[in-house]
Amino acid sequence: NAGVTQTPKFQVLKTGQSMTLQCAQDMNHEYMSWYRQDPGMGLRLIHYSVGAGITDQGEVPNGYNVSRSTTEDFPLRLLSAAPSQTSVYFCASRKGRSAYNEQFFGPGTRLTVL
Amino acid sequence: RKEVEQDPGPFNVPEGATVAFNCTYSNSASQSFFWYRQDCRKEPKLLMSVYSSGNEDGRFTAQLNRASQYISLLIRDSKLSDSATYLCVVIRVSGTYKYIFGTGTRLKVLA
């Protein structure tokens, strides 16, 4: 199993550009999430999905869109990049509804917006 | 006040020392708890779950105190390889399960 994979690893954008961060998992997990991690702050939830075709907003959804057309893939789209979106982005997945299920994280995408 | 709070550290300890971290949470509806480990510029990885009865995994012991609303992580016989940031994670039910991450406590084990 590759686990959770993310591409690209690094990205530099100019203000106003759009892009898609890719995330895929091969563990057949129902739940997938996108987080951002900024210095001095815990990971903050952007969007999440409880299964194919179902997505919902997290704590900091503004400026981001997601879709979940398959169980495996959960791309995150930045509509019009802003310097405030400079961050490290982690995709995560977990199985089922139990509060004790482990979340598996991808290796992250380091995004800089100039 | 943050829902989950941790001392950011760094905690600088010599090899072989015992070190303990606490994490406090403010929402009494919190249901389950974890410690994750994050190495520099890497993704978080599960270290251990924290059960009401406490649990131990080798040199690591995690405990939960619901009355005082904190969890703790004790590391015995610290190794250089234990140097990392330790994230406290609290899960509460709000429609779905919501994972609340602390900002992490940084540990440096010195030779």
Side-chain angles (χ1 to χ4, degrees):
Chain A
N1 281 356
V4 181
T5 58
Q6 291 183 237
T7 56
K9 284 189 167 48
F10 303 93
Q11 184 70 49
V12 178
L13 293 178
K14 293 182 180 177
T15 296
Q17 286 184 315
S18 62
M19 78 160 295
T20 299
L21 308 186
Q22 301 293 343
C23 173
Q25 53 91 11
D26 62 358
M27 298 174 282
N28 202 31
H29 286 172
E30 296 94 332
Y31 283 61
M32 295 187 75
S33 305
W34 276 102
Y35 293 89
R36 60 178 289 173
Q37 187 175 37
D38 301 292
M41 307 189 77
L43 278 84
R44 292 183 292 168
L45 183 64
I46 304 171
H47 284 285
Y48 66 97
S49 169
V50 300
I54 307 169
T55 63
D56 207 345
Q57 296 182 349
E59 182 185 354
V60 287
N62 292 342
Y64 308 94
N65 272 357
V66 291
S67 60
R68 183 101 179 266
S69 55
T70 66
T71 299
E72 294 78 21
D73 299 299
F74 191 43
L76 177 73
R77 280 182 288 279
L78 278 71
L79 308 172
S80 176
S84 60
Q85 293 179 305
T86 293
S87 188
V88 181
Y89 291 84
F90 289 102
C91 179
S93 74
R94 73 179 195 273
K95 185 167 182 59
R97 301 179 62 84
S98 169
Y100 285 96
N101 287 342
E102 177 182 354
Q103 273 209 104
F104 294 85
F105 287 84
T109 295
R110 295 181 178 276
L111 175 68
T112 301
V113 182
L114 303 175
Chain B
R1 184 186 171 194
K2 292 179 181 176
E3 187 168 349
V4 176
E5 297 210 65
Q6 295 183 253
D7 182 339
F11 284 56
N12 296 322
V13 302
E15 261 187 303
T18 296
V19 62
F21 314 132
N22 279 349
C23 165
T24 59
Y25 60 95
S26 60
N27 193 320
S28 59
S30 300
Q31 185 164 353
S32 51
F33 310 87
F34 299 93
W35 284 102
Y36 274 69
R37 171 190 168 130
Q38 187 173 25
D39 292 302
C40 188
R41 302 178 76 82
K42 299 285 189 181
E43 71 272 24
K45 291 184 179 177
L46 179 66
L47 178 67
M48 58 198 308
S49 304
V50 187
Y51 302 120
S52 297
S53 55
N55 53 312
E56 187 173 318
D57 183 3
R59 298 182 293 108
F60 298 83
T61 300
Q63 294 199 313
L64 166 64
N65 186 317
R66 283 194 184 272
S68 301
Q69 296 187 190
Y70 72 89
I71 67 172
S72 63
L73 178 67
L74 180 78
I75 305 175
R76 290 181 297 277
D77 189 22
S78 299
K79 312 289 185 193
L80 293 175
S81 57
D82 294 333
S83 297
T85 297
Y86 291 84
L87 306 178
C88 168
V89 184
V90 172
I91 291 87
R92 62 175 166 83
V93 178
S94 176
T96 184
Y97 292 111
K98 188 169 182 182
Y99 283 59
I100 314 295
F101 288 81
T103 54
T105 296
R106 192 170 170 204
L107 171 66
K108 292 182 181 178
V109 180
L110 308 172

